[in-house]
Amino acid sequence: MNKQNNKLIINGDVFVPLLSEEQIQKRVKELGEQISKDYKGKVPVFIGVLNGAFIFMSDLIKNIDIECEIDFFKLSSYGDSKISSGKVKLLKELNCDVNGRDIIIVEDIVDTGLSIKYIEELFSKHTPNSMRVVSLLVKPESLKYDVKIDYIGFKIPSQFVIGYGLDYQQKYRNLSSIYVLSE
Ligand code: IMP
Ligand code: MG
């Protein structure tokens, strides 16, 4: 990875800043406050989708001021490429019992919506009291499946992004801001 001005150059591809650390932190705080208000009197279970959502999940729950629980499961859809493979695999199961619980699925990004569709089907075998989805990023123009995202951090163009949990070939998740592949 080569840094020039604000740009990142990775294998000849140029990535430019899209969302700063300050913008992300401000929005995550707002989402946390909104969810805390909406779930007042309840004890929701935040369920993060690994690997991408781990940083967002961590910052989000620090902004939740009601009692809550957390769990994770792991999906894979992208492999190592910049485009969705169109297939989803469950790589790690949930450990908690979601029956009768208010669950909030935490995603880093919704692209085609395939992963969320898969998650909805997974949970249709259980009987949670309620299920909502929060995603830091949504690419509205890429959506191919009819899915409802209840809380959205930012709507972004249909371009490949990295940082703040999001990877390219498993790397760059550790960047504290988000960069977009420039065309
Ligand atoms: P979907 O199933 O097509 O909605 O894609 C969702 C998953 O693909 C996300 O949870 C990410 O892990 C990954 N993904 C989608 N877009 C990007 C991107 O721009 N950068 C990195 N990962 C992405
Ligand atoms: Mg993901």
Side-chain angles (χ1 to χ4, degrees):
M1 180 172 78
N2 176 353
K3 251 191 177 169
Q4 285 177 14
N5 299 323
N6 275 330
K7 294 177 186 160
L8 293 180
I9 300 167
I10 300 168
N11 303 334
D13 286 332
V14 181
F15 287 83
V16 295
L18 180 69
L19 296 165
S20 70
E21 186 174 359
E22 292 70 30
Q23 283 174 297
I24 297 169
Q25 293 302 331
K26 179 170 176 275
R27 188 68 188 118
V28 172
K29 185 164 184 276
E30 289 168 359
L31 288 171
E33 286 167 358
Q34 184 64 51
I35 293 171
S36 301
K37 221 185 200 177
D38 294 352
Y39 284 81
K40 206 175 161 115
K42 297 184 175 145
V43 183
V45 189
F46 288 88
I47 300 178
V49 186
L50 292 171
N51 290 333
F54 80 111
I55 294 183
F56 174 44
M57 172 89 148
S58 151
D59 285 344
L60 181 66
I61 64 159
K62 284 185 268 180
N63 287 289
I64 298 294
D65 68 2
I66 54 169
E67 284 184 10
C68 62
E69 296 175 23
I70 66 155
D71 199 357
F72 288 97
F73 62 91
K74 184 162 178 167
L75 294 184
S76 131
S77 65
Y78 261 47
D80 274 347
S81 100
K82 280 184 271 194
I83 353 162
S84 172
S85 67
K87 290 191 200 101
V88 180
K89 267 195 300 190
L90 183 64
L91 301 177
K92 180 206 166 288
E93 284 269 11
L94 277 184
N95 297 111
C96 70
D97 181 6
V98 296
N99 294 316
R101 303 300 304 270
D102 295 295
I103 62 176
I104 304 173
I105 305 297
V106 182
E107 259 286 28
D108 50 355
I109 186 164
V110 177
D111 183 21
T112 63
L114 177 67
S115 305
I116 295 296
K117 193 94 215 150
Y118 179 90
I119 292 165
E120 281 177 356
E121 277 162 25
L122 205 69
F123 282 101
S124 68
K125 296 178 203 133
H126 301 265
T127 48
N129 183 48
S130 69
M131 175 172 140
R132 284 188 183 172
V133 178
V134 53
S135 186
L136 179 69
L137 306 174
V138 176
K139 295 179 184 170
E141 285 143 34
S142 297
L143 278 175
K144 287 196 199 138
Y145 298 86
D146 180 25
V147 289
K148 184 165 170 268
I149 316 300
D150 302 278
Y151 303 97
I152 296 176
F154 301 93
K155 291 183 178 169
I156 63 164
S158 294
Q159 279 157 271
F160 190 73
V161 291
I162 56 169
Y164 197 71
L166 291 144
D167 73 302
Y168 175 37
Q169 296 183 338
Q170 299 305 326
K171 301 191 188 78
Y172 317 110
R173 298 190 194 274
N174 52 317
L175 300 168
S176 44
S177 60
I178 293 175
Y179 289 77
V180 61
L181 179 63
S182 77
E183 295 188 330

